[in-house]
Amino acid sequence: MKKSLLTALLVPCLLAGCQVNQDTSNHSTASPTPNNDLEMTAFAVNNDIKGKVAFPIKHQQQSYWLLTSEEQGILLTDEQGQTLSHFAGSMEVLDWRDNVSLDGKKLGLVATINKENGQVLILGLDWQTQQFSLLTTIKPSAAIETLCWYTMPQGHAGLFMADEQGKVSQRIVVDAKQQRISDVILRDFVGVPEVKSCAVDDQRDALYLVESNIGVWRYSADPEAELQRELIAVTGDFGQLEGEVTSVDVLDNGSLLVSTPEQQGVWIIDPAQAKSAGFYPLKQAQAVENAVAISTDQGLNIGLFDDETGGYYHTKIDITLPKGAATHHIFSQVQPAAETTPVSTSGDAADDPAIWVNHQHPAQSRILATNKKRSLMVHDLQGKLLQQLDMGRVNNVDVRYGFALNGQTIDIAAASNRSNKSLSLFAIAPATGEVSWLSDIPTDLDDTYGLCMYQSNNNYYVFVNDTNGRFQQYQLNTHNGKVDGTLVREFKVASQPEGCVADDNSGQLYFGEEAVGIWQVPAMPTKSMPVLIAPLSATFVADVEGIAIYHLNKQRYLIASSQGNNSYAVFALEDNNRYLGSFQIAMDLDKMIDGVSETDGIEIVSTPLGPQFPQGLMVAQDGHNVMPSDTQNFKLVSGSMIANLIQGWIKE
């Protein structure tokens, strides 16, 4: 590829925010050295096999091969390449996962494509009989070029399929909890044109896609993750690879095995140090198009397909790869009980929830939530949208009870309104939960951002912060039948805050500084300085976003969303703010509700809210609403799940 063309492709990538993990300085490409060439041994089944993938596998210490063939289908052979069984058809590509539980039985799973009709086939291999069986078929809307398995953290067997139009579909094929075949689309996204191969690193949640004339791209395999890509290995003038890139395989330590036919060899590339890639020339190779490896005590055992000769070969590299570490923390898991109607606008829109408790009929309580592009929304406890008040760009919301106005007692909500730099106040009818606008209190903040309320006897306060670190505290007053506010305190932190919660019982305000941690300060107007009680750590990471307090057995527990790793940290306030642990909200495949990621705002109450939520409710904003992809929404988690986690941590 000419330098100008690759430049034209890489520059838009950089402008769009994708990363290039590649040394683009002058370099010398590794050249084949005859004395170091690896010997290639041909398979016995090479006569007219017309295949593409020789996949080495191991089961119960025995070595086998899986081969694809346009003439014979899928072949299982022994270590010497003698056929043990086959599944008839015309296949070129495949991927493999072993020891998958289905109906109480462990099977090997093959994903492949029938070239005659374009259908994706999921085959089961019964190791007792060494026979294949067709488990299910998937009929894609466009021709699939490549596919690869992904074993999800919950154990579900997922599949990525990349088609000729550059679209990638991610779906669940095996429900690990029910041990049954499934077909649930998690998300569709635009991948790469001219896609040749894909592979997934389960331990590091990484998806690799080969764009033949560019190189190898890395995406997150987590369906809840931000859709970003990073260019790991580059061909042409900007990288070490030369010519077309045709296949990628993930090794046990997370390194990549990459084939470049024109160089007549294979590469081993550490994604973290791509410029230190190792090239391994292959003797007799003419155009090795595909390479798949398995680690053994003797090194790497590699299956090869040479497109020029049309034959399968295998070779060994005498190399011991260091064991790579998984890059994600394993947190406790809870599952959502329900989810709200998706917001009416696309992009980053849903932000912060509040829970209004109907003290007369708790099961008829309401969830107030913000669409920070246009409105305040009101949902019931099943997540159904009941009201939408188009008040502008309301960002955060909170509620308090028993506010006296014009001889009546109402409940009151406050929201930070970025459209007019004000505090928007709302009345909540105590009997019905109906929400109506009351008034706006102007501020002199440049950007009214985070917000929370505080009540001390009959005094009601609103805290609001700016993205520049300024905090203001307003006391609510009634005047001529309307509600207004008086500025009673102001303070500042060094960097951007947002989430905050005031504890009416203890009289303390807790707020997050997104890149620092959680601070505590008296909630009543005072000159006291905030104290950092929960700094960031290896598990509690930036950005610190939503903050809420859960009451359990007369103890208080601060919960904060750790946006950078999609988790929620729990701190025991009565035990010197001790960190207890973190949890994530994972998908519930039975209810067809996805998990939660990149949470902005959260709220939690311990008040029983009817039979569905006997120990209260947690509501969390979901930054990526998938299964299938949709606009953002909020997930509802039973307080019983949170209580069980906390009680378990306390006993440890």
Side-chain angles (χ1 to χ4, degrees):
M1 175 178 288
K2 294 183 179 179
K3 186 173 183 178
S4 59
L5 178 55
L6 187 54
T7 301
L9 289 167
L10 289 179
V11 170
C13 168
L14 294 171
L15 292 175
C18 54
Q19 303 176 37
V20 180
N21 183 14
Q22 186 65 230
D23 180 13
T24 57
S25 59
N26 293 331
H27 61 270
S28 58
T29 303
S31 301
T33 304
N35 291 336
N36 295 330
D37 286 5
L38 300 172
E39 292 284 350
M40 294 169 51
T41 303
F43 278 77
V45 294
N46 275 347
N47 293 334
D48 298 322
I49 192 166
K50 295 182 181 178
K52 188 174 182 179
V53 178
F55 203 116
I57 63 176
K58 180 171 283 189
H59 183 77
Q60 294 182 350
Q61 305 305 313
Q62 296 295 314
S63 296
Y64 303 88
W65 293 93
L66 286 171
L67 310 177
T68 61
S69 170
E70 292 185 46
E71 302 293 333
Q72 303 175 55
I74 302 294
L75 285 71
L76 174 69
T77 80
D78 62 17
E79 189 173 11
Q80 288 70 43
Q82 299 297 319
T83 301
L84 301 174
S85 64
H86 79 286
F87 185 89
S90 179
M91 288 78 160
E92 272 193 346
V93 301
L94 71 77
D95 198 14
W96 163 261
R97 284 294 187 275
D98 203 3
N99 296 317
V100 177
S101 296
L102 275 171
D103 296 324
K105 189 173 185 177
K106 296 283 188 180
L107 297 176
L109 289 191
V110 172
T112 187
I113 304 167
N114 186 337
K115 288 196 65 178
E116 293 178 350
N117 56 22
Q119 293 182 353
V120 173
L121 308 181
I122 307 300
L123 309 179
L125 175 59
D126 186 336
W127 281 109
Q128 291 182 347
T129 63
Q130 295 187 344
Q131 297 298 310
F132 295 100
S133 62
L134 178 63
L135 300 178
T136 190
T137 61
I138 301 171
K139 299 177 181 179
S141 58
I144 301 299
E145 295 292 329
T146 186
L147 46 71
C148 46
W149 286 112
Y150 170 41
T151 303
M152 303 178 68
Q154 302 90 347
H156 305 308
L159 191 66
F160 287 94
M161 304 187 307
D163 67 27
E164 61 183 0
Q165 299 173 359
K167 186 179 78 171
V168 179
S169 177
Q170 182 179 6
R171 58 185 70 205
I172 294 175
V173 177
V174 176
D175 179 340
K177 181 179 178 181
Q178 301 294 334
Q179 295 189 12
R180 65 188 180 194
I181 292 294
S182 178
D183 187 12
V184 175
I185 297 176
L186 293 173
R187 58 173 174 163
D188 295 319
F189 59 92
V190 176
V192 300
E194 298 187 44
V195 62
K196 284 287 187 179
S197 175
C198 74
V200 177
D201 184 342
D202 295 339
Q203 296 301 313
R204 298 156 194 87
D205 291 331
L207 165 69
Y208 295 95
L209 294 176
V210 170
E211 186 175 2
S212 60
N213 60 345
I214 299 295
V216 181
W217 295 91
R218 178 169 59 190
Y219 298 73
S220 175
D222 182 354
E224 296 284 353
E226 190 77 29
L227 187 58
Q228 296 178 336
R229 63 178 185 171
E230 181 182 7
L231 190 54
I232 297 298
V234 185
T235 186
D237 293 342
F238 283 82
Q240 294 170 295
L241 313 184
E242 291 182 2
E244 189 179 31
V245 184
T246 54
S247 77
V248 62
D249 182 40
V250 176
L251 305 178
D252 288 349
N253 72 331
S255 294
L256 307 179
L257 179 68
V258 176
S259 59
T260 51
E262 293 180 25
Q263 291 181 284
Q264 299 177 341
V266 293
W267 292 85
I268 294 180
I269 302 172
D270 180 349
Q273 304 179 49
K275 63 182 180 181
S276 301
F279 180 72
Y280 295 83
L282 295 164
K283 190 179 292 186
Q284 305 110 355
Q286 298 186 39
V288 171
E289 183 178 348
N290 193 275
V292 183
I294 188 172
S295 295
T296 70
D297 294 338
Q298 292 75 42
L300 289 180
N301 190 17
I302 306 176
L304 307 164
F305 172 72
D306 193 308
D307 188 49
E308 190 68 28
T309 65
Y312 283 130
Y313 302 85
H314 57 91
T315 189
K316 281 185 167 57
I317 298 180
D318 185 12
I319 183 174
T320 301
L321 298 174
K323 186 176 181 180
T327 58
H328 57 263
H329 292 280
I330 303 300
F331 295 116
S332 300
Q333 306 278 305
V334 299
Q335 292 180 307
E339 60 183 334
T340 64
T341 304
V343 298
S344 57
T345 51
S346 60
D348 185 18
D351 195 273
D352 186 56
I355 301 170
W356 172 77
V357 177
N358 186 328
H359 291 100
Q360 299 177 32
H361 305 286
Q364 297 178 23
S365 297
R366 299 288 184 253
I367 299 165
L368 281 66
T370 61
N371 176 344
K372 60 188 173 186
K373 293 187 176 183
R374 67 177 296 178
S375 61
L376 178 70
M377 303 166 297
V378 183
H379 304 84
D380 63 19
L381 296 189
Q382 289 69 51
K384 180 182 177 182
L385 180 64
L386 302 177
Q387 285 183 266
Q388 180 168 304
L389 291 78
D390 292 336
M391 301 298 304
R393 298 168 54 229
V394 288
N395 199 74
N396 282 38
V397 63
D398 203 1
V399 301
R400 284 300 183 272
Y401 303 88
F403 188 84
L405 180 65
N406 295 330
Q408 295 182 325
T409 299
I410 63 171
D411 298 330
I412 191 168
S416 52
N417 195 325
R418 302 172 80 176
S419 291
N420 56 15
K421 303 178 183 179
S422 73
L423 308 179
S424 290
L425 301 181
F426 302 87
I428 307 173
T432 65
E434 184 176 359
V435 177
S436 57
W437 176 77
L438 284 174
S439 62
D440 284 348
I441 300 174
T443 76
D444 64 354
L445 299 177
D446 294 329
D447 189 7
T448 49
Y449 197 50
L451 175 145
C452 57
M453 297 186 72
Y454 171 59
Q455 180 178 349
S456 176
N457 297 319
N458 293 323
N459 297 313
Y460 294 78
Y461 300 90
V462 179
F463 292 94
V464 62
N465 59 53
D466 196 325
T467 52
N468 63 12
R470 287 178 65 194
F471 273 82
Q472 291 183 340
Q473 181 178 3
Y474 289 83
Q475 183 171 358
L476 300 184
N477 311 299
T478 57
H479 183 71
N480 293 331
K482 293 185 178 181
V483 185
D484 57 20
T486 302
L487 180 63
V488 295
R489 179 165 59 156
E490 188 165 2
F491 60 92
K492 194 175 189 301
V493 293
S495 61
Q496 180 170 314
E498 183 176 3
C500 64
V501 62
D503 185 350
D504 295 349
N505 295 327
S506 68
Q508 297 296 315
L509 171 71
Y510 302 89
F511 65 88
E513 188 175 357
E514 293 188 0
V516 177
I518 300 173
W519 297 82
Q520 174 185 320
V521 70
M524 289 299 289
T526 177
K527 293 184 179 180
S528 298
M529 298 300 294
V531 176
L532 184 65
I533 64 166
L536 298 184
S537 66
T539 52
F540 181 47
V541 303
D543 289 340
V544 180
E545 293 280 349
I547 300 178
I549 295 175
Y550 185 61
H551 296 263
L552 179 65
N553 298 330
K554 299 182 180 181
Q555 301 290 304
R556 299 173 303 140
Y557 300 93
L558 187 70
I559 301 176
S561 63
S562 174
Q563 195 177 73
N565 58 11
N566 300 329
S567 70
Y568 308 87
V570 181
F571 302 89
L573 295 179
E574 260 76 55
D575 189 8
N576 197 30
N577 310 310
R578 180 169 66 94
Y579 170 72
L580 295 181
S582 295
F583 66 92
Q584 293 176 317
I585 303 175
M587 71 170 66
D588 189 322
L589 198 54
D590 292 339
K591 295 179 180 177
M592 287 297 294
I593 304 175
D594 64 302
V596 181
S597 57
E598 294 192 17
T599 292
D600 285 326
I602 65 172
E603 181 60 290
I604 189 167
V605 297
S606 55
T607 306
L609 300 181
Q612 186 179 11
F613 303 111
Q615 290 183 278
L617 169 67
M618 175 179 173
V619 181
Q621 183 261 4
D622 184 9
H624 299 283
N625 186 22
V626 298
M627 206 167 77
S629 298
D630 206 335
T631 55
Q632 294 179 341
N633 70 350
F634 298 82
K635 301 300 193 288
L636 284 61
V637 178
S638 172
S640 300
M641 288 194 168
I642 310 302
N644 290 338
L645 277 181
I646 292 173
Q647 289 169 338
W649 285 328
I650 293 173
K651 292 177 181 178
E652 291 180 353

